[in-house]
Amino acid sequence: MSDVTLTIDGVQVTVPAGTNIVDAARQAGIAIPVFCYHPRLKPVGMCRMCLVQVGTPKIDPATRQPVLDANGQPVITMMPKLQTACTTPVSPGMVVKTTTEEVKFAQRGILEFLLTSHPLDCPVCDKGGECPLQNLTMGWGPAVSRFDYNDKVHFEKPVKLGDLIYLDRERCILCARCVRFQDEIADDPVLGFDNRGRNWMIISKSDPPFNSKFSGNTTDICPVGALTSSDFRFKARVWELQSKPVICTLCPVGCNLTFDMRHDRLMRVMPRENAAVNDIWICDKGRYGHRFIESPDRLTTPLVRRDGKLVPVSWDEALEVVADQLTIVRTRYGGNALAGLAGAQLSNEDLYLFQRLLRELGSENIDTGIGGPAALPPDEMGGLLAPGPETDLSKLGTGAVVLVVGADPEEEAPLYMLRLRGIAQRGGKLIVAGLRPTKLERSATTVVRYAPAGELAFAQGLLKAALENGAKLATLERMQGWHELRRSLSQAKLADFATACGLSEAVLTSIAQSFLTAEHSLIVYGWEARSAGLALVETLAALMILTGKVGKANNGMIALLAGGNSRGAIEMGVRPDAGPGYEPRKQRGLDANGIWAA
Ligand code: SF4
Ligand code: SF4
Ligand code: FES
């Protein structure tokens, strides 16, 4: 994209074409006040807070060249009225003025107008201290209001927009940030406007109300205290909080968070910006699902059973008891009588040391989780064929093809849903294949519904189509299990796979071709795909290898695993069949189900 040079308040700045004046001014170090504009949302020009004077070079109609003054400078024609900086794209030679009396008059007027019915209850408002309305009023607004307090319009407040979010209609400035977030980013268009004039208001349109897994983000981007969360209301003043950086372990995304603490008590959970992981968003599970850390039922000190009762002991005592018991069991029955289960939320360091302890004691009976009928074997392909370093889903768009197979990212890894949706919005191809409808399908460029039990035939059909259309077989020769896979491929025609998965040969061929020829090829697979059996994942892996781009940035396989650090557990060797780094063990130990059954 070409660059455009313009002048804002006398400062020359060069920005990519298409940039709006607000963002161009930011790059020049000039703040233009905004309410409705948000850099992650499409501009709508609703609040008029960003009004500025804009001029463009006068063009000679005969020569189509700028008209120059006596000093050889372009003659600037100022637009007769103020313009909204958030909706006006820059143009070459543009001149913008943000501090003239006319602009200041408009800014004061807009703020005075916004405050006509504002309750001014900052002392009891959760947003107080981090409120754009407070800040902009101090910076750009009138010092006093000419509006009689008794003339303010009052509404019932607060009203529950949903179980988690309250709306204070008196504070709402009707900027539509919340509505647009739900429409554009979360793809849950559950908020909207109702009524008109002074009664214009935000409402929830869904049943149950505010039905979205991302609702908490609206409280972050609401520029006033109109939206507050039931989790944080009246708990603390924001200037009392100390923010501690943490990583969410409630799903495999690993969103960056802060725990905002007051006197060592968790007051609220906020997103911590990381463009490569969660940008500025988190899901409601991550925001509201951490209260367990303060549960009175949580173990915070070691307990040892004495005389049939669990009694609190020091860590030294507890470790001594554990060491004694492990030694006794090993001496009497051998190391194989020991077993260990670790949580898949632990750090890599803890997981590595855990398996090492067990293996040093002579046990291979090591696993994560608690087993059960839904437990799946460790996933290897999502690690071995993981996208290369420098992968950044936030940048992918045109040229990328993402094949999502048997996964429901909204449930399994919520922020990935926003990321994958973003890739499609930026022009990438998003092919969503599965047995059941998922929300991600609404953002897909292609939706594939294969027949029940047809997932393996679908993947084999893609592989067959790829090979029939010139993909290089040699790249697969070194792949483990390739010869069996090749045999099953050679025993059937593409038409057979198409029939078995309920799709046409043309669909399989078109998906395979676009996947293989894409600049960036990604496969995302989830629980549904993994529970269909290892052969499906291996077939998808073969398709990935055929691209020849394994190990490169933005190319590879992403498995949506259940635990926050399941990948770390697999790589650190917390599994019965392999040690750290996928190193196979001579003897396979028991998995979680085997341990319980032993
Ligand atoms: S609730 Fe907040 S984000 Fe939504 S329209 Fe009102 S002020 Fe804007
Ligand atoms: S998407 Fe996953 S990692 Fe991110 S906040 Fe939600 S549960 Fe936590
Ligand atoms: S910020 Fe530009 S109109 Fe609201």
Side-chain angles (χ1 to χ4, degrees):
M1 196 182 281
S2 58
D3 284 345
V4 167
T5 299
L6 70 159
T7 306
I8 306 176
D9 293 343
V11 179
Q12 220 177 51
V13 59
T14 302
V15 294
T19 306
N20 64 46
I21 295 175
V22 171
D23 288 341
R26 272 184 199 156
Q27 291 191 35
I30 295 164
I32 296 177
V34 297
F35 282 120
C36 67
Y37 178 62
H38 189 285
R40 304 296 194 282
L41 303 172
K42 289 185 197 135
V44 284
M46 282 178 80
C47 72
R48 322 307 284 177
M49 189 62 222
C50 63
L51 289 171
V52 290
Q53 280 185 299
V54 178
T56 49
K58 186 175 180 183
I59 301 295
D60 182 337
T63 63
R64 307 300 306 157
Q65 294 301 312
V67 177
L68 303 181
D69 63 14
N71 298 321
Q73 296 300 313
V75 174
I76 301 297
T77 310
M78 297 307 286
M79 294 187 192
K81 291 193 175 173
L82 299 179
Q83 303 295 310
T84 46
C86 67
T87 56
T88 309
V90 296
S91 61
M94 180 183 264
V95 170
V96 179
K97 296 178 183 175
T98 76
T99 55
T100 61
E101 276 314 309
E102 197 180 342
V103 171
K104 285 182 184 165
F105 179 77
Q107 289 167 337
R108 277 197 303 274
I110 294 292
L111 273 163
E112 187 177 15
F113 180 68
L114 286 177
L115 292 170
T116 51
S117 247
H118 199 80
L120 299 176
D121 52 358
C122 307
V124 293
C125 176
D126 287 323
K127 200 78 169 186
E130 56 180 13
C131 174
L133 182 59
Q134 278 186 330
N135 296 343
L136 298 198
T137 304
M138 298 300 282
W140 284 270
V144 289
S145 172
R146 291 171 294 169
F147 205 76
D148 189 336
Y149 187 83
N150 296 320
D151 288 341
K152 283 184 186 282
V153 179
H154 294 290
F155 296 112
E156 176 202 347
K157 69 176 211 172
V159 289
K160 263 183 138 187
L161 267 191
D163 280 345
L164 299 170
I165 309 292
Y166 283 85
L167 168 67
D168 184 317
R169 287 179 53 201
E170 293 179 353
R171 294 179 191 154
C172 175
I173 60 166
L174 301 162
C175 68
R177 278 189 181 188
C178 53
V179 177
R180 288 180 287 142
F181 168 81
Q182 289 301 137
D183 292 359
E184 295 171 24
I185 308 280
D187 193 25
D188 286 322
V190 295
L191 296 184
F193 285 105
D194 197 20
N195 259 320
R196 60 204 303 179
R198 277 285 176 188
N199 287 317
W200 210 30
M201 61 177 176
I202 294 290
I203 53 160
S204 163
K205 303 184 288 184
S206 63
D207 182 15
F210 209 162
N211 188 13
S212 172
K213 289 186 167 58
F214 303 97
S215 67
N217 294 295
T218 58
T219 63
D220 296 341
I221 59 170
C222 177
V224 296
L227 295 181
T228 50
S229 105
S230 56
D231 185 63
F232 179 61
R233 279 171 68 76
F234 307 128
K235 282 233 174 101
R237 306 307 311 196
V238 295
W239 52 87
E240 301 171 322
L241 301 175
Q242 275 196 317
S243 295
K244 306 284 183 197
V246 289
I247 302 285
C248 181
T249 57
L250 300 182
C251 92
V253 177
C255 289
N256 291 207
L257 310 175
T258 58
F259 279 4
D260 284 354
M261 314 291 292
R262 189 182 66 167
H263 308 316
D264 292 334
R265 297 291 312 272
L266 176 63
M267 292 292 122
R268 66 176 180 181
V269 176
M270 295 288 280
R272 188 158 46 93
E273 182 170 354
N274 184 332
V277 183
N278 53 301
D279 196 8
I280 58 170
W281 316 116
I282 52 173
C283 77
D284 286 352
K285 181 164 56 169
R287 190 183 296 265
Y288 303 118
H290 282 95
R291 289 280 161 210
F292 70 88
I293 66 168
E294 292 185 336
S295 163
D297 296 334
R298 190 176 169 212
L299 266 189
T300 52
T301 183
L303 301 176
V304 168
R305 195 176 298 280
R306 287 194 179 135
D307 302 328
K309 273 188 154 183
L310 287 170
V311 290
V313 294
S314 69
W315 275 106
D316 283 348
E317 278 177 276
L319 289 173
E320 215 167 290
V321 171
V322 173
D324 286 349
Q325 294 298 320
L326 288 175
T327 311
I328 290 169
V329 172
R330 188 169 71 140
T331 312
R332 280 195 201 151
Y333 308 106
N336 204 31
L338 298 170
L341 296 175
Q345 276 81 15
L346 295 174
S347 66
N348 283 356
E349 292 81 355
D350 290 343
L351 290 163
Y352 172 80
L353 290 172
F354 179 80
Q355 63 82 35
R356 187 158 168 205
L357 171 71
L358 267 291
R359 290 196 161 108
E360 297 263 336
L361 289 168
S363 173
E364 295 290 336
N365 308 321
I366 306 165
D367 205 351
T368 49
I370 53 168
L376 295 170
D379 171 85
E380 295 211 333
M381 292 307 174
L384 296 173
L385 305 187
E390 312 289 325
T391 292
D392 187 350
L393 301 186
S394 70
K395 300 263 163 47
L396 285 183
T398 305
V401 173
V402 185
L403 176 59
V404 180
V405 182
D408 185 354
E410 189 199 18
E411 292 292 337
E412 298 178 69
L415 252 291
Y416 276 149
M417 198 202 75
L418 305 192
R419 290 310 193 163
L420 298 175
R421 181 171 150 71
I423 293 173
Q425 284 171 330
R426 289 186 293 273
K429 278 193 189 162
L430 180 61
I431 302 163
V432 180
L435 276 176
R436 311 174 187 83
T438 61
K439 201 172 99 182
L440 184 65
E441 284 183 6
R442 300 210 298 248
S443 310
T445 49
T446 307
V447 175
V448 175
R449 182 88 63 247
Y450 41 67
E455 48 278 270
L456 180 57
F458 166 68
Q460 288 176 329
L462 293 182
L463 195 54
K464 183 93 178 169
L467 293 169
E468 283 185 359
N469 284 279
K472 290 201 187 82
L473 197 66
T475 45
L476 292 174
E477 289 299 340
R478 282 184 301 138
M479 181 184 154
Q480 209 184 347
W482 164 238
H483 294 290
E484 297 94 89
L485 187 53
R486 185 179 193 175
R487 207 170 310 122
S488 50
L489 284 182
S490 61
Q491 282 164 1
K493 297 196 184 80
L494 179 58
D496 299 328
F497 292 122
T499 308
C501 69
L503 299 165
S504 70
E505 288 177 62
V507 166
L508 293 173
T509 304
S510 137
I511 294 174
Q513 274 184 335
S514 68
F515 186 76
L516 288 185
T517 54
E519 188 185 348
H520 301 297
S521 307
L522 283 164
I523 294 176
V524 178
Y525 58 103
W527 191 85
E528 182 187 300
R530 291 186 59 226
S531 54
L534 200 54
L536 171 62
V537 177
E538 284 179 350
T539 310
L540 293 172
L543 185 67
M544 189 67 235
I545 292 170
L546 277 186
T547 65
K549 290 176 289 188
V550 168
K552 300 208 167 107
N554 300 315
N555 291 277
M557 294 181 71
I558 299 174
L560 306 184
L561 306 178
N565 193 22
S566 294
R567 175 62 55 211
I570 293 166
E571 299 199 336
M572 295 302 116
V574 182
R575 49 191 287 190
D577 56 344
Y582 302 92
E583 186 76 43
R585 305 294 293 178
K586 280 198 198 102
Q587 188 203 335
R588 189 195 156 96
L590 298 172
D591 62 12
N593 283 332
I595 291 169
W596 292 121

